[in-house]
Amino acid sequence: MIVIDSVLAMQQFGREHKGQIALVPTMGYLHDGHASLMVEAKKRAPIVVASIFVNPTQFGVNEDLDSYPRDLERDKRIAAGAGVDVIFAPKASDMYPAGYQSWVNVEGLTDHLCGASRPGHFRGVTTVVAKLFNVVAPKVALFGKKDFQQLAVIRRMVTDLNMDLEVVGMPIVREADGLAMSSRNARLSVEERVKALCLSRSLAAARLLFESGETRVERLKAAALAVIEAEPAARIDYLEFRDQDSLEPLAAADKRTLLALAVRLGEVRLIDNCILGEA
Ligand code: AMP
């Protein structure tokens, strides 16, 4: 495995290996969720490039850019173990040099959910992902459904801007107790780590009620909210039932309905989601 930290060197590598690269974009502090994307990437292309870049432009002013966990040496070990061939770890000053002025913006889909609670977030995400696609020139890129809206927004961008690559969405990887894996879990205190289970339990409560035949969103939402509200330390950013394609609100749920939530525990904001009809 090699580590490339210069944008120009990465671009040259991408050019030389055109058609052979699967890209897994990450912000590092890798866990088994990231590793699952890397393992699948290796099945889809001979060369796996994992980018590790805590992208400053997708963080709001009062968000956790400075406290986001970072450990490149640890990441190298995990990436090598997951079959990564190249780590691309650019500096922010190389990705956004002085005079930088260009942005990619997906409209509509980004009005909802995390787009509403984190203004400017998706503009940063789509811009950096478009840049990574231009630099690495992958034939396929893999993203987790943990960030369901991000995946939808990136698919929209790739379609709308005629980007020549395949986008693959991968299932959410969870800890044994149900907590969705996230780099931000490392920032939870021991007490908060226990309380964080309210997210996956909330999804489970809604799904159970749906499986019993309830389709009224009002009722399903009440069941999901009750689980979070029983945890006084948890502050709800949003908890919404949405059409999984448009992300628009719904009155009645079906098997394809997305339940997405964002919850704060202390300083840490966690997200999770499920499709009601999927296990
Ligand atoms: P991040 O480093 O958090 O930006 O995530 C990088 C990629 O890994 C994104 O496509 C995420 O959706 C994906 N990812 C993060 N956590 C998980 C998880 N628990 N299961 C599956 N994919 C994940």
Side-chain angles (χ1 to χ4, degrees), residues 25-28 31 33-34 36-37 68 142-147 150 170-174 180-183:
T26 83
M27 298 207 299
H31 50 66
H34 297 117
S36 73
L37 272 54
Y68 197 86
L142 296 93
F143 296 86
K145 293 183 184 171
K146 157 94 184 328
D147 300 84
Q150 170 175 280
M170 294 290 294
I172 301 175
V173 177
R174 297 178 180 280
M181 289 193 182
S182 165
S183 306

Side-chain angles (χ1 to χ4, degrees), residues 51-85:
S51 60
I52 296 183
F53 181 57
V54 183
N55 174 37
T57 68
Q58 71 189 64
F59 288 80
V61 273
N62 293 319
E63 293 185 354
D64 57 350
L65 174 62
D66 293 335
S67 52
Y68 197 86
R70 294 165 169 89
D71 188 342
L72 188 57
E73 290 310 311
R74 177 178 174 277
D75 287 347
K76 282 186 202 169
R77 289 194 297 275
I78 295 173
V84 169
D85 300 288

